[in-house]
Amino acid sequence: MIATVWMVGVVALGLIAGRFWPFAPFANVDTWVMGGLCALLVLVGLQLGRSKTAWQTVRQQGFYILLLPLAVLVGSIGGSVLARLAISMSPIPAGAVGAGVGWYSLSATIISAADAQLGVVAFLSNILREIIAIVLVPLLSKTLGPWPAISTAGATAMDTVLPVIAHSAGS
């Protein structure tokens, strides 16, 4: 709960600063964000590449373990294409929002480059996904097991929702 309040507060602060602070480097914020996200991806790759347990898990589970992220991606895109009917959105932009899979910083940045309004939709829908995951993961892990709990969180299963998953579904 504290992490969610913190996250909302930081976003609100960013909105206010972006609107009212005429600081020149903020003019290129998209470039800064994309560079930071690329650096983050490299670091995650390095961490996973150096992790012996990650490679052991893949060897033990086989390629079966890759079905979960594939199912999450198909479900996220498919769900957003279906949900678009409620707001009369075209299927391709809705699918793009769903393809963010909960990673609000990356998806919002990439989508905003093409359409600022759709970038806001991507950001807010992915934040909402994270909040819903925080609430539902304990219930889902008890009733359906660990895999649905992980899939609900999407990309946030490895960061902000990880403590909730670990507590509810185990390591």
Side-chain angles (χ1 to χ4, degrees):
M1 180 67 176
I2 293 172
T4 303
V5 172
W6 176 252
M7 190 170 49
V8 170
V10 170
V11 170
L13 183 64
L15 287 170
I16 292 166
R19 179 72 175 109
F20 298 109
W21 193 9
F23 189 51
F26 285 143
N28 298 339
V29 74
D30 291 343
T31 305
W32 284 94
V33 169
M34 190 57 75
L37 289 171
C38 288
L40 177 66
L41 288 171
V42 168
L43 292 173
V44 168
L46 287 171
Q47 180 184 15
L48 287 173
R50 293 179 51 98
S51 171
K52 291 182 175 117
T53 57
W55 290 109
Q56 288 171 350
T57 302
V58 171
R59 278 190 220 110
Q60 288 171 351
Q61 298 289 328
F63 284 102
Y64 170 76
I65 201 166
L66 298 176
L67 291 178
L68 180 63
L70 180 62
V72 170
L73 186 60
V74 169
S76 294
I77 294 171
S80 62
V81 168
L82 285 176
R84 69 149 177 110
L85 297 171
I87 59 171
S88 301
M89 181 185 267
S90 298
I92 292 176
V97 169
V101 195
W103 197 353
Y104 47 86
S105 54
L106 182 63
S107 64
T109 301
I110 291 172
I111 292 173
S112 290
D115 183 337
Q117 185 176 7
L118 192 60
V120 171
V121 171
F123 180 77
L124 294 175
S125 67
N126 286 313
I127 290 283
L128 185 59
R129 179 182 183 147
E130 181 175 6
I131 293 168
I132 290 170
I134 289 169
V135 172
L136 288 182
V137 160
L139 175 67
L140 289 173
S141 64
K142 286 179 186 170
T143 57
L144 300 174
W147 300 118
I150 293 169
S151 64
T152 302
T156 62
M158 283 298 287
D159 49 51
T160 55
V161 186
L162 182 58
V164 178
I165 292 171
H167 179 75
S168 303
S171 59

